[in-house]
Amino acid sequence: MKAWTRPEVPVLDPSPGRPRVHDTGSGQLVTVGPDDGAARLYVCGITPYDATHLGHANTYVTFDLLNRAWRDGGLDVVYTQNVTDVDDPLLERAEATGVAWEDLAADQVELFRTDMEALNVIPPDHYIGAVESIPLVIDLIGRLQATGLIYAVDDAEYPDLYFACSQAAGFLSESHLDVDAAIAIFGERGGDPDRPGKRDPLDCLVWRLARPGEPSWESNLGRGRPGWHIECTAIALEHLGEHFDVQGGGSDLIFPHHEMCAAEGTAATGRPFARAFVHAGMVGYDGEKMSKSKGNLVLVSKLRAAGEDPMAIRLALLAHHYRDDWEYTDADLAAARERLALWRRAAHGDAGLPASDTIDAIRAALRNDLDAPAALTAVDAWAAASVDIDVDDTDAPRAVARALDALLGVRL
């Protein structure tokens, strides 16, 4: 599957260094990325029905900052993202709307691409759909069968294959949930803890045998399709290898999705799945978390169609620390428009305050847990002081504009 067009990212003077980010598993700020070479990043992608709301955008802009911080520090980046282009929620939406599931997925993936391009997000190097990953999933299930952690559920009609999460080393060490809480959340987030025939409520589906009217594929496991968690595990291991640097996504993926991916990956390789698990906060609207199931969505495409500048949308997101939960209001976008106008006025001026201190402040903020609000405050101070100043530094506006594009992804 193709990703979106890669933007031209300005290359700044070298500034070696690696960012620290909050690792959900340890609860600590940890330095991420190798000393040299390529940093390896996996971010869970969309299930393509109703893309792209501001909650999605908040997540992908967050990891775009990490991508940019690594590149600015002199590292290469290998970035992988999936698209869950066959799964129950997609099939349910397709049936409800009378659209073929393949067409719905293709249309929404293309909309997501255009939104990401507009928001100046660097695309993944590997953009992999669930359908095209089926051979990888089948191979990984085969590896896991050798561990004894794969079993067929006790169901005469549909003996689907499950992974015994409850027996996997390190399970629940990322989310730190107790079993009762995990079971409750699993049921709320697409799991099936009450399915008869499972050995444990927290075991997860890895291969769903074909049902009438559902898409399915031939395999040595029986005709069927992958479960959700195994899809990401297989894609990450194939394109990033064992024990990669960061698995990222929204905080609603901590459990069950990332916990179960990590359990499968560790069982297959004998090593921790990722070195750090990094999660963006939830964006709310009208008093609840923005989500497709609730229908309280603010879509990037609709904001763009209404004439909103994508850079203002990006700034509205960057004004909140990536780990914070927050509620979107029209005031967020209004403030972002004002900020963008000030920055452009300063960046398009004939001169301004020297740029080096401001660029250093942006870098320091991003390397300190992707603190975009602190970076924005530093630019605000430079812009406010530069718009009416009589300083003979004609290079400063251009230097700051290049840094904003390279580091924050904000094009002026």
Side-chain angles (χ1 to χ4, degrees):
M1 181 178 291
K2 71 180 180 70
W4 51 97
T5 302
R6 181 176 296 271
E8 292 214 11
V9 179
V11 178
L12 307 181
D13 291 337
S15 176
R18 293 177 295 160
R20 295 191 310 155
V21 293
H22 184 268
D23 169 40
T24 300
S26 67
Q28 303 292 321
L29 289 181
V30 298
T31 300
V32 290
D35 292 331
D36 53 37
R40 296 173 294 159
L41 170 66
Y42 188 91
V43 179
C44 294
I46 60 167
T47 300
Y49 67 102
D50 283 341
T52 313
H53 59 70
L54 287 180
H56 288 138
N58 187 60
T59 293
Y60 300 114
V61 167
T62 290
F63 292 99
D64 190 54
L65 290 182
L66 177 58
N67 193 341
R68 290 168 184 272
W70 270 333
R71 292 173 186 274
D72 180 59
L75 296 175
D76 295 326
V77 180
V78 181
Y79 176 18
T80 299
Q81 188 179 128
N82 74 307
V83 180
T84 305
D85 56 355
V86 61
D87 198 22
D88 289 345
L90 171 66
L91 300 178
E92 291 164 5
R93 176 61 60 86
E95 182 176 1
T97 57
V99 178
W101 66 270
E102 302 97 327
D103 294 338
L104 176 60
D107 288 347
Q108 293 299 301
V109 169
E110 181 57 26
L111 180 58
F112 179 72
R113 290 188 187 104
T114 61
D115 286 337
M116 292 298 100
E117 282 187 16
L119 292 173
N120 203 25
V121 172
I122 298 172
D125 302 280
H126 306 286
Y127 194 49
I128 311 296
V131 172
E132 64 185 301
S133 74
I134 287 173
L136 301 178
V137 169
I138 293 168
D139 287 347
L140 178 57
I141 292 172
R143 291 171 65 184
L144 290 170
Q145 285 175 323
T147 71
L149 295 176
I150 298 291
Y151 67 92
V153 73
D154 185 11
D155 183 322
E157 186 174 12
Y158 297 115
D160 302 322
L161 297 183
Y162 278 75
F163 174 73
C165 295
S166 53
Q167 299 175 36
F171 185 58
L172 299 182
S173 63
E174 180 193 345
S175 61
H176 304 292
L177 294 171
D178 63 41
V179 170
D180 289 341
I183 290 172
I185 295 173
F186 191 33
E188 294 167 0
R189 296 181 179 172
D192 57 356
D194 298 323
R195 180 174 180 179
K198 289 174 61 174
R199 296 177 183 172
D200 188 280
L202 290 174
D203 293 348
C204 67
L205 177 71
V206 293
W207 190 255
R208 177 180 170 89
L209 294 175
R211 269 69 160 175
E214 292 187 2
S216 58
W217 290 262
E218 292 291 350
S219 82
N220 59 0
L221 306 171
R223 188 172 181 86
R225 59 183 168 93
W228 176 30
H229 314 299
I230 195 74
E231 163 201 339
C232 283
T233 309
I235 292 171
L237 290 177
E238 173 69 15
H239 294 285
L240 298 177
E242 300 177 10
H243 199 43
F244 55 92
D245 293 288
V246 170
Q247 180 173 33
S251 60
D252 56 343
L253 297 184
I254 296 171
F255 190 89
H257 186 51
H258 285 176
E259 188 81 71
M260 292 181 173
C261 290
E264 292 165 345
T266 298
T269 68
R271 304 184 68 193
F273 188 53
R275 291 185 173 89
F277 296 87
V278 182
H279 296 98
M282 295 290 99
V283 181
Y285 186 61
D286 285 343
E288 295 186 279
K289 185 193 89 169
M290 199 176 292
S291 69
K292 300 170 186 176
S293 60
K294 292 183 172 65
N296 61 334
L297 303 180
V298 179
L299 297 175
V300 171
S301 57
K302 289 190 175 180
L303 292 175
R304 291 169 49 216
E308 294 294 347
D309 189 318
M311 293 299 95
I313 300 171
R314 185 169 177 120
L315 279 174
L317 300 172
L318 293 177
H320 302 271
H321 191 275
Y322 80 93
R323 285 197 283 124
D324 290 344
D325 296 335
W326 55 281
E327 181 155 345
Y328 172 80
T329 69
D330 291 342
D332 288 282
L333 199 49
R337 288 190 213 105
E338 291 183 9
R339 172 173 268 146
L340 184 62
L342 172 63
W343 288 14
R344 282 180 170 158
R345 184 181 169 197
H348 294 161
D350 294 330
L353 287 180
S356 59
D357 287 350
T358 300
I359 295 172
D360 288 347
I362 297 169
R363 281 176 163 144
L366 293 182
R367 291 175 184 182
N368 182 29
D369 200 22
L370 306 179
D371 192 350
L376 268 55
T377 297
V379 182
D380 288 343
W382 175 86
S386 295
V387 289
D388 296 317
I389 199 168
D390 184 15
V391 176
D392 189 23
D393 188 343
T394 56
D395 292 331
R398 184 167 56 254
V400 170
R402 285 174 54 79
L404 294 180
D405 192 350
L407 301 172
L408 293 176
V410 177
R411 293 184 302 245
L412 300 182

